[in-house]
Amino acid sequence: MNIVVGGAQWGDEGKGKLIDILSKDTDITARYQGGNNAGHTVVVGEKQYVFHLIPSAILRKSKMCVIGNGVVIDPKALLAEVKILKNQGVSITPKRLKIAGNAHVILPYHRILDGLRESKRKNKIGTTGRGIGPCYADKVNRCGIRMIDLLNPRILKAKLEDNLREKNDVFRKVYDQKNFPFGNIYQEYLNYGRQLKPYICDTAIFLNNAIEKKKTVLFEGAQGAFLDIDFGTYPYVTSSNSIAGGVCAGTGVAPTHIHKMISAVKAYTTRVGEGPFPTEFSTQLKDDIRIKGKEFGATTGRPRRCGWFDSVLVKYAAMINGTTEIAIMKLDVLDDLKKIKVCTAYRYKGKIIKDFPLDLEVLRNVKPIYKTLDGWQTPISGIREYRNLPKNAKLYINYLEKLIGRKIKYVSIGSKRSEIIIR
Ligand code: IMO
Ligand code: MG
C-alpha cells in the first residue's frame, strides 16, 4: 500500500510521529512539498529528533527516504540538518537518501525577500522567514534554480546572473537595500552542489521503479490543509499544495498508485502565524494548553495559538484529501479538562454555516457553535488498548468520528514512539 500522510488543520498535527510509526511497515518515505518551514518532531526513548527537510523515516536504518521535486530545498539548511542528525547517530548516505534534481533551490535572496516583504506589508502572513514563498514564486515564474543546476557551473552562473540582476533591482529600488554580491553566492552554491551530488537523481524514476518492484511508499506531507495554497485560508497560507493532491505533482507518482490517505489532526487546534482561527481560546486555557501541549514552533520557536477542535475545518480537509483514516494526536493534552468543547458549525449574521466558507471575511467573523462534552480527567499516556481508554475519551473520539465522517484509526496519547493506540 502506498499511503499519504497529511495534516488536516494548520500544521503541527503530529505528522512526524505518525510517519515514524507508519514507516516501520513501508519501504520508502517521500516528502512532496514545502521546505524547511516544516518542523517534524520524533521522540525515541530519551532522544528527540527534529526534521525540517529530511523525511522522519530516516531514523529507521533499513528504510529509504526521498526529497521529491515538489519540495523547495535550502542546501545550507539541508547540510546543517544532515550534520545535526549524524551527530545524533543517524545514518544518512546517498543510498538511503535521494534528492530530486528538479527540486527548486532556496537562495539567500529568497530568504531576504521573505523577510523584507513581511516587514513592509501591512497585512502580514507571519511566514517562517525561510524564503519558501519567494522560491516557489521563482519556480512558477520560470526563473528558479534547480538542484541539478548546482552541478553545472555554466548553467548556474548564467541563471544566477539573470536572477541577481533582477533581484538586485528589487532590493535597491523597492526595499532600499544594498546589492547582493554575485561571487559569494556562486562559489557557495557550487560547493553545496559538490557536497550533495551523490544524493541527487531523478526521484520520479526511482520511486516508480520501486513501486513497480512492489516496494511501498509513504508520502510525508508538510504543513496542513488550511495552509494549502489553493484550499487554505489564503493569503495566510504557505506556497505549496500540502493536500494529498500535491503528492502526484510533487513526486511524479501517479494518483493510480495511491491507496490510502491518513489525515493527522490534533485533538484540539493550533495555528502559528497570522490568519483567522474561529475556535481560538480567549481564556486562561490559551496558556494552559500551550504549556501542557508544548505548543511552541519546532522551526521558529514561536508560541502557537491554541483553540478547540473545529470539525467544520476537518470535515472539509477530509473531503479535499480523500481521507480514508484519521489519526488523532496529542489526546493526552486534554487529560485535565473538566469540559471539552467541539465546534460543530458556525453562526454568521444569524445564519448557521456547516461548510468551511471560502470567503475569509466570513471566516473571520463567524461565531463557532459548540457542543460541550465531559472530560475524562485522568492521565491516559500509559494506556495501550483502545478499550482501556476512559469512557469519556472514547465518547470524544466517537463524537469526532461522527462529525468528520471518517474512522479514527490511530490515537496518540504522548510524544513517545510507544504512546500510540492503533484500533
Ligand atoms: P509543519 O510541517 C505550522 C505557516 C507559517 C505561516 C504560513 C506561511 O511542521 O506542520 P511560510 O514560511 O510557509 O511561507 O509561512 O505557514 N507554516 C506552518 N505552520 N506548521 C508548519 O509545518 C508550517 N509551515 C509553514 O507559520 O503562517
Ligand atoms: Mg511543525
Side-chain angles (χ1 to χ4, degrees):
M1 282 246 218
N2 300 320
I3 306 169
V4 185
V5 168
Q9 291 154 329
W10 278 292
D12 304 323
E13 296 92 347
K15 299 176 291 290
K17 171 171 172 174
L18 193 58
I19 291 288
D20 175 58
I21 287 161
L22 295 169
S23 62
K24 193 166 148 270
D25 302 316
T26 54
D27 300 302
I28 303 167
T29 300
R31 276 279 305 269
Y32 58 92
Q33 45 70 239
N36 60 327
N37 48 351
H40 298 173
T41 307
V42 178
V43 181
V44 185
E46 297 306 306
K47 269 194 182 167
Q48 173 169 303
Y49 305 85
V50 182
F51 301 92
H52 300 289
L53 276 163
I54 298 175
S56 318
I58 199 84
L59 292 179
R60 298 194 183 268
K61 286 196 181 66
S62 59
K63 310 294 177 176
M64 315 226 350
C65 290
V66 168
I67 301 178
N69 57 279
V71 177
V72 285
I73 302 175
D74 181 332
K76 191 178 179 181
L78 175 60
L79 288 163
E81 188 172 334
V82 169
K83 196 168 166 199
I84 292 172
L85 290 170
K86 279 188 172 170
N87 284 340
Q88 287 186 292
V90 181
S91 122
I92 301 179
T93 60
K95 218 180 150 227
R96 298 195 56 213
L97 177 68
K98 309 281 176 201
I99 301 173
N102 48 348
H104 280 249
V105 178
I106 297 181
L107 286 125
Y109 48 76
H110 293 131
R111 287 194 299 267
I112 295 171
L113 276 173
D114 197 356
L116 287 172
R117 286 204 77 199
E118 281 281 279
S119 63
K120 203 158 181 175
R121 282 168 65 103
K122 252 205 190 134
N123 266 320
K124 298 191 192 311
I125 293 170
T127 73
T128 60
R130 300 295 188 265
I132 306 292
C135 181
Y136 276 117
D138 277 1
K139 172 179 177 174
V140 176
N141 214 2
R142 293 160 297 183
C143 62
I145 291 176
R146 308 199 290 178
M147 290 304 286
I148 29 165
D149 298 332
L150 302 183
L151 310 181
N152 185 331
R154 187 177 49 83
I155 297 281
L156 180 64
K157 188 162 186 249
K159 286 195 173 183
L160 263 180
E161 270 170 0
D162 252 356
N163 276 312
L164 276 176
R165 204 175 303 122
E166 199 181 27
K167 299 297 191 259
N168 278 332
D169 271 352
V170 175
F171 278 145
R172 276 199 325 274
K173 295 175 188 167
V174 180
Y175 295 111
D176 218 6
Q177 303 286 311
K178 282 202 282 261
N179 264 358
F180 220 96
F182 168 84
N184 302 357
I185 306 195
Y186 177 59
Q187 289 305 336
E188 185 184 344
Y189 280 73
L190 271 183
N191 184 27
Y192 295 145
R194 276 192 289 271
Q195 293 180 65
L196 292 170
K197 189 175 177 190
Y199 300 88
I200 298 173
C201 65
D202 184 326
T203 50
I205 293 182
F206 172 78
L207 287 168
N208 281 288
N209 279 346
I211 290 171
E212 187 115 325
K213 289 185 190 125
K214 304 280 178 250
K215 300 264 187 232
T216 52
V217 186
L218 185 60
F219 297 95
E220 176 172 358
Q223 289 82 54
F226 295 94
L227 290 172
D228 183 276
I229 184 78
D230 283 282
F231 295 99
T233 45
Y234 192 92
Y236 305 98
V237 292
T238 192
S239 300
S240 63
N241 283 117
S242 47
I243 59 160
V247 166
C248 304
T251 60
V253 174
T256 42
H257 290 307
I258 296 168
H259 308 108
K260 225 187 201 186
M261 197 293 156
I262 306 178
S263 283
V265 298
K266 218 174 259 188
Y268 44 103
T269 312
T270 63
R271 161 159 223 179
V272 213
E274 305 302 320
F277 181 174
T279 61
E280 186 167 13
F281 296 134
S282 54
T283 59
Q284 177 61 31
L285 267 178
K286 190 171 84 188
D287 298 317
D288 294 352
I289 295 292
R290 180 179 291 153
I291 291 164
K292 179 101 203 264
K294 300 195 182 80
E295 296 297 352
F296 297 88
T299 298
T300 57
R302 289 177 293 176
R304 296 180 186 140
R305 300 155 64 191
C306 302
W308 295 118
F309 190 91
D310 186 340
S311 73
V312 179
L313 291 185
V314 176
K315 206 176 77 184
Y316 188 78
M319 175 185 80
I320 297 294
N321 280 295
T323 302
T324 52
E325 288 163 1
I326 300 260
I328 189 167
M329 313 302 284
K330 289 188 144 179
L331 187 65
D332 56 300
V333 174
L334 306 181
D335 279 356
D336 304 332
L337 302 182
K338 228 184 178 142
K339 297 281 175 194
I340 301 174
K341 290 188 187 182
V342 179
C343 170
T344 58
Y346 302 139
R347 198 182 302 278
Y348 179 72
K349 291 188 174 167
K351 283 207 189 99
I352 291 178
I353 300 184
K354 289 191 169 161
D355 292 312
F356 173 69
L358 264 192
D359 186 346
L360 222 60
E361 268 311 291
V362 176
L363 191 66
R364 219 187 269 288
N365 294 301
V366 294
K367 292 266 171 296
I369 299 173
Y370 289 115
K371 159 103 175 168
T372 304
L373 290 88
D374 290 325
W376 44 94
Q377 296 188 277
T378 176
I380 57 172
S381 292
I383 297 170
R384 294 293 172 269
E385 301 279 342
Y386 187 76
R387 61 187 158 83
N388 296 335
L389 278 175
K391 186 171 131 257
N392 286 348
K394 284 190 275 195
L395 285 175
Y396 184 62
I397 291 170
N398 290 346
Y399 188 61
L400 297 188
E401 281 187 326
K402 209 175 84 196
L403 289 174
I404 308 163
R406 299 291 195 280
K407 186 178 159 78
I408 296 181
K409 165 116 179 167
Y410 303 87
V411 182
S412 178
I413 43 176
S415 54
K416 298 201 185 95
R417 197 182 247 177
S418 58
E419 289 168 334
I420 188 112
I421 296 170
I422 303 174
R423 289 168 81 190

